[in-house]
Amino acid sequence: MEIGAIIDAVILGITEGLTEFIPVSSTGHILLLGHFLGFQSTARSFEVLIQLGAILAILAVYFARLWQLFITLPSSPRSRRFVAGIVLAFLPAAFAGVLAHDFIKTVLFETPIVICVALVVGGILLLVVDRMPLKVRYHDVMDYPLSLCLKIGLFQTLALIPGTSRSGATIAGALLMGTDKRSAAEFSFFLAMPTMVGAFTYDLIKNGDLLSLDDFGLIAIGFVMAFLSALVVVRGLLDFVSRHGFAPFAWWRIAVGLAGIVAIVAIG
């Protein structure tokens, strides 16, 4: 592995971890950053596979809660409904992602201007949703009805467009359906687990034979850096959202998208 590629993998891994769980589009950020760094990964698998590193941060932080959920499944209808809701929310994006996989990887991932536009548009929409006087009906993810979970899952399919943001789409959808900001962000955390595990598994099966030892080495570096940086975000995000809402992330999206458009026009 070349030292330049290793440095790029470190930078991109840290960026992935810092942005995976906030509504700014981690995929959009690492694709844009990779474009300007000149980073090219085989079959764009690096950008997909390192996301699992960020997901492991949730397992680390929420281990006690996940274990409690697991051991109460046989006896608790509330726990079973929550797990069923996560599975139900996961299915729409899973089916759509499989059907559109090749188009996403070969067209959308390779079109930086689409990512920039999605960042700006998504930022504006998130800003609007954050300021809407919405009536809150749900405060605890454990009490989300299955119909609400499915609707949030349908919103997640929008994130198949890089730059839209998986967490941004699910959070905005949840808010519009009557959840409070903290539980919307928390549900997005839990939904990320099956979604990213599914994306990781499918991409590895589809493209694993194309990857070299150097590719796997860079993925491992990005994976570890994503895990470490995501730990910081997961530990503090819910409290930040409760105090400040999502407007800071919306403005960041808009700024990054506009800067990306200017850079693309100026230097390609």
Side-chain angles (χ1 to χ4, degrees):
M1 291 183 289
E2 297 181 357
I3 186 64
I6 293 174
I7 293 173
D8 288 347
V10 170
I11 293 172
L12 293 172
I14 292 173
T15 302
E16 162 60 31
L18 292 177
T19 57
E20 176 59 46
F21 301 111
I22 61 177
V24 298
S25 179
S26 62
T27 304
H29 274 67
I30 62 177
L31 285 172
L32 280 180
L33 189 55
H35 172 77
F36 292 114
L37 288 173
F39 181 81
Q40 291 290 329
S41 69
T42 303
R44 288 295 186 186
S45 288
F46 175 91
E47 290 83 353
V48 174
L49 298 181
I50 67 169
Q51 294 181 51
L52 188 61
I55 298 307
L56 292 183
I58 297 180
L59 297 178
V61 173
Y62 280 82
F63 178 79
R65 185 168 177 182
L66 290 168
W67 178 250
Q68 181 65 26
L69 184 66
F70 175 75
I71 63 176
T72 58
L73 272 178
S75 59
S76 172
R78 192 167 181 246
S79 294
R80 290 197 296 270
R81 185 184 65 233
F82 173 71
V83 172
I86 292 294
V87 173
L88 195 60
F90 158 72
L91 292 177
F95 285 120
V98 169
L99 292 175
H101 179 270
D102 291 343
F103 176 76
I104 293 168
K105 294 287 288 291
T106 61
V107 178
L108 297 182
F109 271 33
E110 304 295 340
T111 314
I113 195 68
V114 170
I115 299 170
C116 292
V117 171
L119 283 169
V120 173
V121 172
I124 293 171
L125 293 176
L126 186 61
L127 199 59
V128 171
V129 171
D130 190 58
R131 294 181 175 180
M132 291 175 67
L134 298 169
K135 181 179 179 181
V136 176
R137 291 177 290 164
Y138 307 103
H139 298 272
D140 189 333
V141 293
M142 296 295 293
D143 296 325
Y144 281 15
L146 295 181
S147 59
L148 172 61
C149 296
L150 178 59
K151 291 172 184 175
I152 295 173
L154 292 172
F155 272 93
Q156 184 174 233
T157 61
L158 298 174
L160 295 174
I161 303 171
T164 300
S165 171
R166 186 203 58 78
S167 59
T170 56
I171 287 170
L175 293 176
L176 290 172
M177 296 299 111
T179 73
D180 71 336
K181 293 175 181 178
R182 185 183 182 91
S183 71
E186 190 172 39
F187 188 83
S188 181
F189 280 0
F190 285 108
L191 182 54
M193 287 186 275
T195 302
M196 292 299 100
V197 169
F200 178 96
T201 303
Y202 184 75
D203 198 271
L204 190 60
I205 292 172
K206 195 171 181 66
N207 298 312
D209 59 339
L210 302 177
L211 303 177
S212 67
L213 288 177
D214 281 354
D215 290 326
F216 280 114
L218 293 176
I219 289 168
I221 292 170
F223 187 100
V224 172
M225 299 311 299
F227 169 74
L228 295 175
S229 56
L231 281 175
V232 178
V233 176
V234 172
R235 291 183 187 279
L237 179 61
L238 295 183
D239 288 338
F240 181 90
V241 167
S242 296
R243 294 194 303 269
H244 304 288
F246 298 105
F249 305 120
W251 287 115
W252 173 262
R253 291 177 59 107
I254 294 169
V256 171
L258 290 176
I261 291 172
V262 171
I264 291 169
V265 171
I267 61 177

